[in-house]
């Protein structure tokens, strides 16, 4: 009995402390005479998902402001990935990843065709290089079919190797609807459309937190250069307060850290964050690409395996691998101050993995490319977790939409996520 009373007392104390902290913060801001502006919709983060959401909201006649810490759009995960249009094979049936990937792929191909965004429906082979991997290939075939992916076909090794003479495998799963896209051109086109519908993009503008007051989330905004000059000092003091009717937290790698700085939002609904760094290497000294299709091994812990992707200029890329890294402090996270360097020595881990399906890969032919970081909400040796899209029904904060764990297939799913956010959360 005493334990129950103690817990209840602690909860009441915590609630009072939180309310008092919010009140103190609000009073401090008023004392400092921080300028305050009321707005319709604010999207935090100008990655491909944030841009797609802004475009969708603006197309519904809403006034939209997009805030990003960087000097331009798409400088984070959106420009550091494989640029693959995924079919929707890997994800559990009826998951958001499966639904949005399949729908997003359809929207994306249609959009690219109609707007002249460079893309190519290359098709993809997922390969089993040993007999123990064949059951996993069959599982992927079944899952993809359940998810509504058209044209999937199991191939014997000789059939796959006839299509791709440089390939070595026991069996393969052909996905003809997979492809590649120029992600920068896609984002540029989406930004242009959003701006034509009245969206404003404010770069070098970092949202550093917020507080709930009078049923509205008040966003705290600071110029990025001033945040950089803060030298890690905390608490951070905003230069501007924005009070929107709708806030979409699409901050990618920083979305979890930012949500924890929304005073009045229960931190208990914010999932734990994990960061999986992935490096890419490019194939040097080749005039003709060894493959015409994308080549993927069986998925591994934390990723889809070191695979072959092509860009629209014909360059061959291998990656990404998976390196679980520690998170960083909030300020570094807000400013995307992650280590994106690629060590040439890391190639030694790539050669044996790639040679399982591409045995003719020559020594010394891999050159460091680039690195990206996956914003994950499941960690090493844990089962993959679905996209998390939270509205007021989950967290109780009116007008706030949190997007967490938007990793692969985020690029493919971006327009479907935007469609969903507008349909579900616009009032």
């Amino acid at each position: 009995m005493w334990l129950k009373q103690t817990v209840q007392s602690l909860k009441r104390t915590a609630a009072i402390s939180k309310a008092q902290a919010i009140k103190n913060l609000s009073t401090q801001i008023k004392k400092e005479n921080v300028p305050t502006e009321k707005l319709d919709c604010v999207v935090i983060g100008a990655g491909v998902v944030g841009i797609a959401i802004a475009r969708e909201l603006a197309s519904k006649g809403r006034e939209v402001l997009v805030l990003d810490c960087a000097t331009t759009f798409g400088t984070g995960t959106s420009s550091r990935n494989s640029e693959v249009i995924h079919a929707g094979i890997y994800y559990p049936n009826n998951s958001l990843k499966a639904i949005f990937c399949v729908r997003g792929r359809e929207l994306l191909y249609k959009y690219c065709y109609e707007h002249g965004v460079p893309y190519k429906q290359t098709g993809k082979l997922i390969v089993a290089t040993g007999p123990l991997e064949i059951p996993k290939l069959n599982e992927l075939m079944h899952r993809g079919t359940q998810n509504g992916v058209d044209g999937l076909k199991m191939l014997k090794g000789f059939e796959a190797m006839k299509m791709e003479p440089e390939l070595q495998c026991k069996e393969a799963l052909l996905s003809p609807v997979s492809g590649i896209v120029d992600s920068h051109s896609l984002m540029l086109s989406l930004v242009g459309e959003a701006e034509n519908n009245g969206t404003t993009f404010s770069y070098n503008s970092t949202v550093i937190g917020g507080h709930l007051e009078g049923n509205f989330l008040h966003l705290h905004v600071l110029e990025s250069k001033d945040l950089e000059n803060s030298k890690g000092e905390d608490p951070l003091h905003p230069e501007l307060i924005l009070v929107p009717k709708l806030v979409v937290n699409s901050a990618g790698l920083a979305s979890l850290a930012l949500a924890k700085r929304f005073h009045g939002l229960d931190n208990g609904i914010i999932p734990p964050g994990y960061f999986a760094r992935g490096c890419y290497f490019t194939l040097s000294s080749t005039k003709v690409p060894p493959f015409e299709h994308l080549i993927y091994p069986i998925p591994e812990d934390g990723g889809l395996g070191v695979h072959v992707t092509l860009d629209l200029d014909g360059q061959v890329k291998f990656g990404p691998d998976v390196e679980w890294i520690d998170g960083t402090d909030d300020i570094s996270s807000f400013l995307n101050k992650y280590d994106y360097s690629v060590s040439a020595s890391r190639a030694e881990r790539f050669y044996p993995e790639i040679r399982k399906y591409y045995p003719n890969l020559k020594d010394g032919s891999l050159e460091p490319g680039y690195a990206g970081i996956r914003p994950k909400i499941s960690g090493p040796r844990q089962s993959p977790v679905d996209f998390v899209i939270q509205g007021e029904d989950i967290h109780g904060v009116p007008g706030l939409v949190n997007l967490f764990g938007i990793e692969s297939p985020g690029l493919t799913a971006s327009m479907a996520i935007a469609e969903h956010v507008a349909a579900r959360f616009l009032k």
Side-chain angles (χ1 to χ4, degrees):
M1 183 68 179
W2 67 268
L3 180 60
K4 184 177 180 181
Q5 290 174 338
T6 302
V7 170
Q8 288 174 340
S9 175
L10 286 170
K11 284 183 176 178
R12 283 195 297 271
T13 302
I16 293 167
S17 298
K18 183 178 282 188
Q20 188 60 47
I22 294 167
K23 186 177 179 181
N24 291 346
L25 185 64
S26 177
T27 303
Q28 180 68 24
I29 287 168
K30 286 174 182 174
K31 281 182 179 178
E32 293 175 1
N33 292 319
V34 179
T36 301
E37 299 286 344
K38 292 184 178 180
L39 297 167
D40 187 14
C41 303
V42 169
V43 176
I44 306 167
V48 66
V49 174
I51 297 166
I53 291 170
R55 168 188 170 270
E56 188 71 19
L57 296 177
S59 73
K60 306 293 184 188
R62 304 300 291 262
E63 293 181 4
V64 184
L65 173 65
V66 180
L67 300 171
D68 197 280
C69 67
T71 56
T72 188
F73 60 84
T75 61
T77 306
S78 296
S79 61
R80 295 177 172 275
N81 58 74
S82 300
E83 296 189 300
V84 168
I85 301 175
H86 286 287
I89 296 168
Y90 299 100
Y91 322 107
N93 187 233
N94 291 323
S95 65
L96 293 182
K97 285 184 176 179
I99 294 165
F100 292 156
C101 185
V102 172
R103 173 62 177 160
R105 167 171 49 80
E106 295 168 353
L107 292 171
L108 190 52
Y109 274 132
K110 184 173 185 287
Y111 184 88
C112 290
Y113 177 77
E114 291 178 350
H115 293 80
V117 174
Y119 75 99
K120 186 177 182 182
Q121 191 171 323
T122 58
K124 175 166 77 173
L125 290 168
I126 305 173
V127 299
T129 57
L132 295 179
E133 293 182 336
I134 293 173
K136 296 178 182 178
L137 212 56
N138 290 321
E139 287 176 20
L140 291 175
M141 170 75 176
H142 177 68
R143 189 179 296 170
T145 302
Q146 275 191 318
N147 290 344
V149 180
D150 296 327
L152 294 177
K153 184 180 179 182
M154 288 292 292
L155 301 176
K156 297 296 183 183
F158 74 89
E159 294 175 301
M161 291 186 285
K162 187 176 179 180
M163 293 172 64
E164 292 287 4
E166 290 289 335
L167 179 65
Q168 178 175 286
C169 67
K170 298 294 183 184
E171 290 192 16
L173 174 58
L174 173 64
S175 168
V177 298
S178 302
I180 53 176
V181 64
D182 182 335
S183 58
H184 181 80
S185 295
L186 172 65
M187 289 188 282
L188 188 62
S189 180
L190 292 171
V191 167
E193 269 203 287
E195 288 179 332
N196 287 342
N197 283 320
T199 297
T200 299
F201 285 80
S202 180
Y203 302 115
N204 301 302
S205 303
T206 306
V207 180
I208 56 173
H211 70 278
L212 189 62
E213 183 181 336
N215 265 356
F216 287 98
L217 185 62
H218 291 51
L219 298 177
H220 303 174
V221 185
L222 193 59
E223 268 195 84
S224 296
K225 65 178 178 62
D226 293 331
L227 182 58
E228 290 207 46
N229 292 334
S230 68
K231 298 177 182 177
E233 295 171 6
D234 218 350
L236 300 168
H237 297 282
E239 297 166 339
L240 177 66
I241 303 294
L242 298 177
V243 189
K245 296 174 185 174
L246 177 69
V247 178
V248 181
N249 174 10
S250 183
L253 292 166
S255 61
L256 295 166
L258 178 59
K260 289 175 183 176
R261 285 177 172 258
F262 289 155
H263 299 277
L265 177 68
D266 180 6
N267 280 1
I269 59 88
I270 301 172
Y274 303 89
F275 301 91
R277 192 170 176 273
C279 293
Y280 292 84
F281 283 80
T282 60
L283 186 63
S284 64
S285 306
T286 178
K287 294 180 180 178
V288 179
F291 301 105
E292 293 183 359
H293 296 75
L294 308 176
I295 309 293
Y296 276 59
I298 296 296
E300 63 177 347
D301 178 38
L304 298 181
V306 174
H307 49 259
V308 180
T309 58
L310 313 166
D311 65 22
L312 290 155
D313 295 323
Q315 186 180 55
V316 180
K317 299 178 288 187
F318 296 96
D321 59 351
V322 177
E323 178 191 2
W324 295 98
I325 62 172
D326 294 330
T328 185
D329 63 276
D330 288 358
I331 294 174
S332 297
S333 177
F334 294 156
L335 295 172
N336 194 27
K337 298 288 186 183
Y338 290 92
D339 179 9
Y340 290 111
S341 62
V342 179
S343 170
S345 64
R346 202 165 183 84
E348 297 309 311
R349 305 182 187 190
F350 276 62
Y351 283 104
E353 293 301 312
I354 297 166
R355 283 177 176 145
K356 290 176 183 177
Y357 56 82
Y358 178 28
N360 290 334
L361 178 66
K362 295 177 181 177
D363 285 336
S365 59
L366 296 181
E367 294 182 349
Y370 58 95
I373 298 172
R374 307 166 181 89
K376 301 181 79 69
I377 48 177
S378 60
R381 294 172 297 282
Q382 296 177 4
S383 297
V385 175
D386 202 7
F387 291 154
V388 172
I389 301 179
Q390 296 178 341
E392 182 181 357
D393 57 322
I394 301 295
H395 52 58
V397 177
L400 172 64
V401 181
N402 281 321
L403 306 185
F404 298 138
I406 310 298
E407 51 167 337
S408 181
L411 173 61
T412 306
S414 57
M415 298 179 79
I417 293 173
E419 190 178 63
H420 172 79
V421 168
R424 183 175 172 192
F425 300 109
L426 274 185
K427 294 179 181 179

